Amino acid sequence: VSFLVAMSIMKIISAEQTRLLDQQTIATEPISSIDLMERASRAFTTAFEDDYRPSYRKTYILCGPGNNGGDGLAIARMLHEAAFEVEVWLAEIGAASTDHQENLDRLRAEAVVPIHLLTKGTPFPALPPKSILIDGLFGSGLNRPIEGYWADLINYLNEQPISRIAIDVPSGLRADEASSGAIVKAEQTYTFQLPKLAFFAPENAVYVGRWQVLNIGLSAAALADLSTPNHYFPLHAAPILVKDRGRFDHKGTFGHSLIIAGSHGKIGAATLSAKAALRAGCGLVTVQVPACGYTIMQIAFPEAMVLVDPHQEIFTSPPDLAGYQAIGIGPGLGTNWLTRQALRELLEQAQSPLVLDADALNILGLHPEWQPLIPKDSILTPHPKEFERLFGPTSNSFERWQLLGEQAQRLGCYVVLKGGNTVLASPNGQLHFFTLGNPGMGTAGSGDTLTGILCGLLAQGYTPEDAAVLGLCVHGLAGDLACAEQEMEGLIAEDILNNLGRAFSQLRQMRGDR
């Protein structure tokens, strides 16, 4: 990814690295730790006011003894100054941190915010319906599951008809590894400086809710020195990747894609992929389908050129690959034995990166010994079940991401693990997380459109890395634009196709193009 793009990408660092970053900021800015806590609390309060000011609901803040609770005490003071009705519950779990104690002394000195003590055995507080609870019980430094009274308290709070808001990370959630035990179920998490790896795990969505990153001015120089394989790719990093077009460019300038897809009853997958390649800006698209799909393709997509497989119903023979700048294979293909052999022939013949999806991946899962034949820098796009068939089972997202990076390195390929938060693994083992898209895109044909988009970008001369990154952004953005028109329930793959042009337009507008 280009330098300008890299500057917009957020690192996802471990809890230990975050503590180190705090310490280095304190040492080099310089700033005292209590003032850094004040800065973080002010950022939280500002964001919270923006989102919850219209409700004027009573706000309770649960504070543990650590710095997360110290943030909560500072936030209580600031929210009171902003005319919120606030009460604090102070959990007596252990010795308070220095900064926590300082903020507690400040709050007590003002004597305007009620503070209630919670100890083991204390009856759980009654909460008015629709009130707000800000969770500052345990922070990212937690290193074991929450049990006993405090677990029972969290489970009780999770059952109440209230809004739960987390400071930095929901209590009980491990920032960078799998979690167990009681965890606060937040509807909103305001996290400091950088997102946490745990936020991208599907199993944690019920705890994290919506999340927002708040810049608290931690040292950019110290952050640059921290090494991590994990990165968050926000939409605003994508516009610089979009290529400009010249007045005298033509269809030959924008490349020729070959899509091998479809089988009897699944020619629609080939149609969607081919349309997406052209909608992504490719100049020419040829589709190879079994003989039963010839008339369908000619009628459904007259812009495409069609090659016909010798077999009536399945893919059995790869064509001459010369003359194509990008080749995609897999949507709707089936896994017949003849199709498997044809895929192997294609892998042996291919001299440039491929886009491999759907049944092409399922075949490679059935024949792992063929995986080394995949051309370097190819792009594989499995959903979680296809990923498991390819590389084996995992028990949680953290194990899956570890395996994802390892397999991308082993194959020397880009592997896109599709999902609510899509993850792109590069041949160097780096992972990039994407949050574009919506559940409405979990519909038949959505993945087929991504295959076509990636092929279309590769054919135009985008590098495999840039094609993968830009393709994921354009696909997700088009899905979000479609959702705004159709709602999630009404969204179909054709809607994604029809919004690709708008997605490119929005990216160009974001970089200031007229």
Side-chain angles (χ1 to χ4, degrees):
V1 178
S2 71
F3 173 76
L4 289 176
V5 174
M7 292 295 289
S8 300
I9 297 172
M10 290 186 185
K11 289 184 176 180
I12 304 171
I13 60 178
S14 68
E16 181 58 37
Q17 287 176 312
T18 300
R19 285 189 286 274
L20 178 61
L21 183 58
D22 286 345
Q23 294 166 6
Q24 290 179 319
T25 301
I26 291 167
T28 60
E29 188 166 336
I31 185 174
S32 67
S33 60
I34 189 67
D35 286 340
L36 184 59
M37 181 177 286
E38 191 80 357
R39 185 191 293 175
S41 300
R42 179 63 64 189
F44 179 100
T45 302
T46 299
F48 179 84
E49 280 192 73
D50 288 343
D51 290 339
Y52 292 92
R53 164 64 72 188
S55 63
Y56 288 98
R57 292 182 280 167
K58 188 165 185 177
T59 302
Y60 298 87
I61 305 181
L62 176 60
C63 299
N67 283 347
N68 195 245
D71 292 329
L73 293 167
I75 291 165
R77 169 168 41 84
M78 294 173 186
L79 286 179
H80 172 77
E81 293 168 355
F84 280 78
E85 186 181 1
V86 182
E87 291 188 20
V88 168
W89 299 337
L90 193 61
E92 293 190 319
I93 301 172
S97 69
T98 301
D99 291 339
H100 176 285
Q101 188 62 50
E102 173 67 21
N103 268 316
L104 180 58
D105 293 341
R106 290 180 183 180
L107 193 62
R108 281 176 168 161
E110 294 185 2
V112 289
V113 174
I115 301 174
H116 312 286
L117 299 183
L118 279 177
T119 59
K120 288 183 179 180
T122 303
F124 298 148
L127 290 167
K130 299 184 178 180
S131 58
I132 297 173
L133 172 70
I134 295 178
D135 164 37
L137 185 59
F138 297 103
S140 60
L142 188 71
N143 56 15
R144 63 182 183 276
I146 300 174
E147 300 173 338
Y149 171 84
W150 304 109
D152 292 340
L153 173 63
I154 288 174
N155 291 332
Y156 163 78
L157 294 174
N158 285 341
E159 294 172 354
Q160 304 307 301
I162 59 174
S163 296
R164 291 170 291 273
I165 315 299
I167 302 172
D168 196 36
V169 62
S171 291
L173 186 71
R174 307 290 289 275
D176 47 30
E177 57 185 274
S179 301
S180 60
I183 304 171
V184 168
K185 294 179 179 178
E187 73 172 39
Q188 174 84 46
T189 298
Y190 297 104
T191 197
F192 298 136
Q193 198 64 43
L194 299 167
K196 311 297 188 283
L197 185 60
F199 293 178
F200 300 93
E203 59 266 34
N204 291 336
V206 67
Y207 307 117
V208 179
R210 302 180 305 275
W211 55 269
Q212 180 179 343
V213 177
L214 306 178
N215 186 348
I216 61 170
L218 297 183
S219 170
L223 177 59
D225 290 337
L226 293 176
S227 177
T228 175
N230 303 312
H231 304 80
Y232 170 51
F233 197 101
L235 179 62
H236 66 255
I240 193 68
L241 293 174
V242 180
K243 292 186 174 186
D244 293 320
R245 296 196 163 200
R247 178 173 178 80
F248 299 102
D249 289 338
H250 51 82
K251 63 185 179 183
T253 309
F254 305 125
H256 192 171
S257 292
L258 170 65
I259 305 288
I260 302 173
S263 58
H264 185 264
K266 297 180 181 178
I267 302 302
T271 305
L272 290 168
S273 293
K275 284 186 176 182
L278 272 188
R279 290 283 191 186
C282 185
L284 295 162
V285 173
T286 293
V287 192
Q288 175 166 328
V289 292
C292 66
Y294 175 74
T295 302
I296 297 171
M297 284 298 305
Q298 292 286 34
I299 295 173
F301 189 33
E303 293 89 348
M305 295 175 283
V306 183
L307 294 176
V308 178
D309 191 276
H311 198 282
Q312 180 69 22
E313 297 188 347
I314 59 174
F315 167 59
T316 63
S317 178
D320 182 356
L321 304 183
Y324 301 108
Q325 284 70 55
I327 301 168
I329 182 169
L333 210 62
T335 58
N336 182 280
W337 177 251
L338 293 175
T339 301
R340 298 186 204 181
Q341 294 301 318
L343 174 63
R344 176 170 182 170
E345 290 179 36
L346 176 71
L347 294 175
E348 291 172 339
Q349 293 174 21
Q351 300 296 312
S352 57
L354 304 172
V355 179
L356 297 158
D357 183 34
D359 283 326
L361 301 177
N362 290 328
I363 291 171
L364 289 169
L366 293 169
H367 296 278
E369 71 277 10
W370 296 353
Q371 292 180 18
L373 298 175
I374 301 172
K376 300 302 179 187
D377 292 327
S378 290
I379 305 173
L380 287 65
T381 60
H383 59 55
K385 288 304 295 184
E386 290 164 347
F387 181 85
E388 183 175 318
R389 293 173 194 134
L390 273 170
F391 304 127
T394 52
S395 59
N396 57 63
S397 292
F398 298 88
E399 289 185 8
R400 192 172 301 115
W401 296 332
Q402 177 70 29
L403 182 60
L404 173 64
E406 292 170 355
Q407 294 301 318
Q409 286 182 292
R410 177 180 70 88
L411 296 174
C413 292
Y414 295 89
V415 184
V416 176
L417 178 57
K418 296 182 291 194
N421 293 321
T422 292
V423 191
L424 169 65
S426 300
N428 59 8
Q430 297 286 299
L431 302 184
H432 287 87
F433 292 78
F434 298 77
T435 54
L436 286 163
N438 60 82
M441 297 175 70
T443 185
S446 178
D448 303 333
T449 65
L450 177 60
T451 299
I453 291 168
L454 296 173
C455 270
L457 294 173
L458 279 177
Q460 292 172 72
Y462 286 89
T463 66
E465 182 175 27
D466 285 355
V469 168
L470 181 58
L472 290 173
C473 289
V474 169
H475 184 253
L477 180 55
D480 286 339
L481 292 170
C483 184
E485 296 177 343
Q486 301 293 341
E487 297 295 336
M488 294 183 191
E489 293 83 357
L491 196 155
I492 62 173
E494 283 278 356
D495 299 322
I496 300 173
L497 291 178
N498 293 335
N499 280 279
L500 286 175
R502 291 179 63 204
F504 279 104
S505 176
Q506 186 164 317
L507 290 177
R508 287 195 166 94
Q509 290 174 18
M510 288 173 64
R511 72 179 186 189
D513 293 8
R514 289 178 180 265

